[in-house]
Each structure stands twice: as C-alpha cells, then as structure tokens.
Amino acid sequence: YSAVYCKLNVIETENTLKAYLIILLIWNALAILLIYLISFWILGSVLDIKFEIKPYLLSSLTAISAVSIRSIFLIKLRLQKKAMQFFIVSVAGKAGVILISLSFVMYYSATAEGRLLGAVIAELLCTGFVYLYVFRKGKFFWPKIDFRKVFSFIWPLLLASIVYYPIMAMDQIVLERYASKTELGLYSIGLGFAGYLHTFNFSVYQTIEPDIIKFRAQGDNASLRRQVYYLVLIAVATTICFCLVSKYLIDFMSHGKFTEAYKIANILSVSFFFVLLFSVGSTLLTTAGKSKSAFLVNLIGLFSIVIFTMLLKEFNSVGVAIARVLTYAALSVAAFMLLKKAGTSVQNYTGS
C-alpha cells in the first residue's frame, strides 16, 4: 500500500485504501477459519493440552485480525505525515484495550477468558471506527486490480513470515530447552533492556519509513541513501551510548541483583542494530516488488538454528546473544546484496 500510495493521486489512494480494507475483511475471515481449524487439529492431535483452548485461540486470532486491519489505516496516516492523528488512534486503541479488558475482568469474569473477551471487543470497536471513518463520505469506485499479480507477489511474503517467526524466537527456544534457569533469566533481563533501545531506534525508523518507501518507489536513490545513512548514524550513536551506560542502568534498576546481565544486553543491542538494518532491507525489497528475494533472505536465516546450538554449548547465554548478532548481520547483508542485484528497477506488482 505504501508503494502504491506514492504513485497515485488523492482519489486513487482513497479508493485503493477502501478496496484493501474490504479485501482484508474477507481475507482475515477466511484466514481465521483456516488457522483455527489447523491449530485446533494440531493442539488436539499432537499436543496434550489439559485445558479448553478453543475460546482463547479464537479470541486471539480475532484480535490479531482486527489489529492488522487497523494497521493499514495507521500506515496511511504515517504516509500523510499526520502525526497527531496517528498518535490519537494508536493511543486510543491501546487505552481502549486496557480499559475494556479491565472492565470485563472486574465485572464479567476475573479470568483469562474475561480479559481476552474484553480485548477482542475493544479491538473490534477500534477497527469498526476505522471502517466508519474511511467510508464516511465520498463515492467508492473499485480500482482495477489484477489479483493474479497480487497473489503472485503475496505468496512469497506469506512463506517469509512463516519462516521469520521461528528465527525471531530461536534464541529463547534454544535457551529454554538447553540452558539453566539462571542463564535464561539473565538473558531475558538483557533482552528487555536492549529492547528499550530498539523501541527508540525503530520509532525513528518508522518516522522516516514513508520517505524511504517513496524514494525507492520513485527511484530517487540519492535521497534514499541519505535517509538510510542518517538512520544508521543515529542507530550507531545510540547503541554506543547504551553500551557505555548499560552496566550502571541495570545495576540501578535491579538494585544490584542482576548487574551481570549488562554483558548480554550490550551484545543484544548490537543484534538490534542489525535487526533495524534488516528491516530497512526487507522494506526496500518489498517496495521494489522483489517478494521472492525477501523470502529467500528469511530462508537463509533458518541456518541460525545450527549457529545458536553450537554457540550455546560453548558460551552459554552469551553465545546465544552472539549467535543472534551473527544471524541478523547475515540477514542484513543478504537483504542488501539482493537489493543491489535488483538495481533501481521497481516491478508493478500491484496489478493497478
């Protein structure tokens, strides 16, 4: 949607947004049904679950579906650089989920089911508001879309997502299976503190992401390089500053109990730097219409299983943190190598 937005006029972008929201509504309904049936079969046939999982599974899938629909609207606000509206919608969504969930826990059922039901209702209300706002006025003309081209573009990204989720959690999966609770605890603390740094840097990236996409879609490589260089400079500077103060920060926040976690936090902060680079590379590949390349990059990441296992045996949690750095560094290099190979071409994958 971001790549299309940069090439169309105001009326065309509005019609495209409405079409996307209608398609997402149908797509997500089918996806929820399919994933629910497959997941329920796996949980019932493969795993020995001792409690009723169906309501939690269905509630979670519905909430995720609502969030994914609302995210398209938030992307539009970012592309239009309407920061205040973006802030209001984002905060209202989060606050609504918290307040309604608490209300259901307090007055309906003080259980996980009550909490999830409240969250689902809040997410559906927010998504309903998005539909009312987008379709509130003006005529809607269905844009010309070649669905064959669309699905040809989408299927590698679906596979890439399936592959990427295990990569994201590989460090904690390996630690939970093979490491001691102490090692897992220190790693979790280090990951949490490094995650705060990533939240800041990723927020900076989201601020300039619309410009990065626009420059890529329009072939303005000089401006694109300048934006990426600025982002890298900020990320390097903040990572260095974090490494210098992390020991004292963790010591102060944990009252001296978990100060040793700073070593892992520093290593993980470097891994988050490469996570940011990988995000930029993936975005640029997708904008250029190279969805198969994006899938290939994620496929390379599966080799991280070997790296994580080997380094854990040699260096415990520190080894896993180093493996995470190596994994995302490899993914970043692969993404930008394929991006360089793609050159300045931008495929018309939208069917418009």
Side-chain angles (χ1 to χ4, degrees), residues 312-332:
L312 171 66
K313 292 179 180 178
E314 292 293 330
F315 305 105
N316 294 324
S317 57
V318 173
V320 172
I322 294 172
R324 182 183 166 94
V325 173
L326 295 176
T327 297
Y328 280 104
L331 289 172
S332 301

Side-chain angles (χ1 to χ4, degrees), residues 49-70:
I49 303 298
K50 300 296 184 182
F51 60 92
E52 182 61 39
I53 195 75
K54 286 188 289 186
Y56 305 109
L57 179 61
L58 186 60
S59 298
S60 298
L61 287 171
T62 305
I64 292 169
S65 172
V67 171
S68 70
I69 292 173
R70 192 167 73 248

Side-chain angles (χ1 to χ4, degrees), residues 2 31 53 57 97 108 165 173 204 234 245 254 284 286 317 329 333:
S2 301
I53 195 75
L57 179 61
V97 169
Y108 173 71
Y165 274 100
I173 291 172
V204 174
I234 291 171
V245 303
S254 67
L284 293 176
T286 306
S317 57
V333 170

